[in-house]
Amino acid sequence: MRQVAFIKRSDGGHWVGDGFPVRTIFSYNDIAGEVSPFLLLDYAGPHHFEPTTQKRGVGAHPHRGFETVTIVYEGAVSHRDSAGGGGTIGAGDVQWMTAGAGVIHEEFHSEDFARRGGDFEMVQLWVNLPAKDKMTGARYQSIADAQIPRVSLPGEAGTARLIAGEYDGTRGAAETFSELNVWDLRLRAGKTVLLALPPTHTASLFVLRGAVQVGEKRVAAAELAVFENSDAQLQFQTTDDTLAVLLSGEPLNEPIAAHGPFVMNSREELLQAMRDYQSGQFGRIPQ
Ligand code: MN
């Protein structure tokens, strides 16, 4: 079976705007090479918000060169962007936004959720684009829970919601630019989970709730297990009812030049991104 290479966790939280209490589990500053094409995983919450009439979240900001994938577990998020995309996603829904050549967007708690208050929990992934696709047009895929294919795992271990990729011939919901899997796993306690992944894929497992045992290593809530590349299956035991996200993908093997919300391949492209943003070429959010 694939062995755990290492376990990654956040060493402290921070707030993104006033809406997202985030633990950055990994970013392009640390292990993006090991988990390519994934660049970042921010885990927001779980956090209880009191009702408010204020707008909580993060205002207009740019991205270029990658995709942001927002998976909502509790609460609701509203988004608007300069490419005309927008909408509200709630528990179980996913927003797959391709920043490509450039987008400006805002991310807030939905007005309704803010007014009601309640528990909030969300994962945001940044997925790198291959060099040839970094300047593609911006795109917004709003994927409702009901559109996400579900498959049963062997041995009554639980179910996988296929947000992206392919499991045993069933295609995931999102269109992607490179070969990758994002599976939301809802697992029962005391089960052995076996997942067949292409041997060339990087693979990691982020546990939101519960815990799993991989060989000698225990992976607890808010921890990411990064697996060694091998042609063996990924195998682990659930010690509790577990909610987890499996990430795997064909590594891009391209240089990363990143700063803040821009992820390019060279320093020159990075500086160009900043100039293009500052000169207004990313457009604006329609009023
Ligand atoms: Mn953003």
Side-chain angles (χ1 to χ4, degrees):
M1 63 180 226
R2 284 199 189 214
Q3 303 293 323
V4 172
F6 58 90
I7 291 173
K8 187 85 172 59
R9 59 181 76 80
S10 168
D11 37 20
H14 63 279
W15 281 79
V16 175
D18 59 1
F20 308 107
V22 157
R23 283 173 278 180
T24 297
I25 306 300
F26 67 86
S27 82
Y28 55 65
N29 291 319
D30 44 52
I31 63 163
E34 285 94 326
V35 294
S36 177
F38 300 96
L39 291 166
L40 175 143
L41 192 162
D42 268 356
Y43 181 35
H47 185 87
H48 185 82
F49 284 92
E50 294 302 323
T52 182
T53 53
Q54 289 183 334
K55 221 174 160 183
R56 281 201 198 104
V58 55
H61 61 278
H63 295 289
R64 173 182 277 184
F66 62 100
E67 304 182 285
T68 66
V69 178
T70 305
I71 308 170
V72 176
Y73 290 92
E74 300 273 4
V77 180
S78 290
H79 150 105
R80 290 193 309 152
D81 70 49
S82 55
T88 297
I89 57 170
D93 302 335
V94 174
Q95 176 208 95
W96 196 292
M97 188 190 77
T98 308
V103 83
I104 294 176
H105 75 156
E106 57 177 35
E107 301 161 273
F108 285 100
H109 293 190
S110 75
E111 217 178 302
D112 182 56
F113 173 71
R115 209 179 296 122
R116 272 185 293 117
D119 293 330
F120 188 88
E121 188 176 20
M122 171 188 117
V123 164
Q124 187 169 85
L125 299 167
W126 290 12
V127 180
N128 209 355
L129 286 169
K132 66 177 176 51
D133 297 316
K134 280 192 178 285
M135 297 300 278
T136 192
R139 179 174 69 173
Y140 177 76
Q141 300 175 69
S142 183
I143 303 167
D145 183 34
Q147 296 169 260
I148 300 174
R150 285 164 166 72
V151 293
S152 295
L153 300 173
E156 301 192 332
T159 59
R161 292 195 318 142
L162 307 181
I163 295 170
E166 181 171 346
Y167 177 96
D168 202 16
T170 303
R171 296 287 310 168
E175 285 181 41
T176 67
F177 285 82
S178 66
E179 194 191 308
L180 57 87
N181 292 309
V182 178
W183 301 339
D184 173 87
L185 305 176
R186 320 245 162 165
L187 307 169
R188 296 192 186 92
K191 298 291 184 182
T192 297
V193 180
L194 269 168
L195 300 170
L197 299 170
T200 50
H201 277 204
T202 66
S204 64
L205 182 78
F206 179 61
V207 174
L208 287 87
R209 303 177 204 159
V212 307
Q213 189 78 29
V214 195
E216 299 291 296
K217 296 203 166 112
R218 179 181 159 87
V219 190
E223 292 183 339
L224 178 90
V226 178
F227 293 85
E228 288 176 353
N229 281 23
S230 99
D231 55 5
Q233 296 198 56
L234 200 146
Q235 181 182 332
F236 55 87
Q237 274 78 38
T238 53
T239 54
D240 300 271
D241 284 347
T242 294
L243 175 62
V245 182
L246 182 282
L247 306 175
S248 88
E250 200 66 48
L252 297 180
N253 296 321
E254 291 170 343
I256 292 174
H259 184 74
F262 308 116
V263 183
M264 304 304 291
N265 299 111
S266 70
R267 186 177 152 75
E268 195 171 276
E269 291 170 348
L270 197 53
L271 293 171
Q272 189 64 48
M274 293 175 200
R275 281 195 296 271
D276 289 349
Y277 168 57
Q278 276 156 14
S279 64
Q281 290 187 35
F282 285 27
R284 60 177 56 193
I285 299 171
Q287 292 308 303

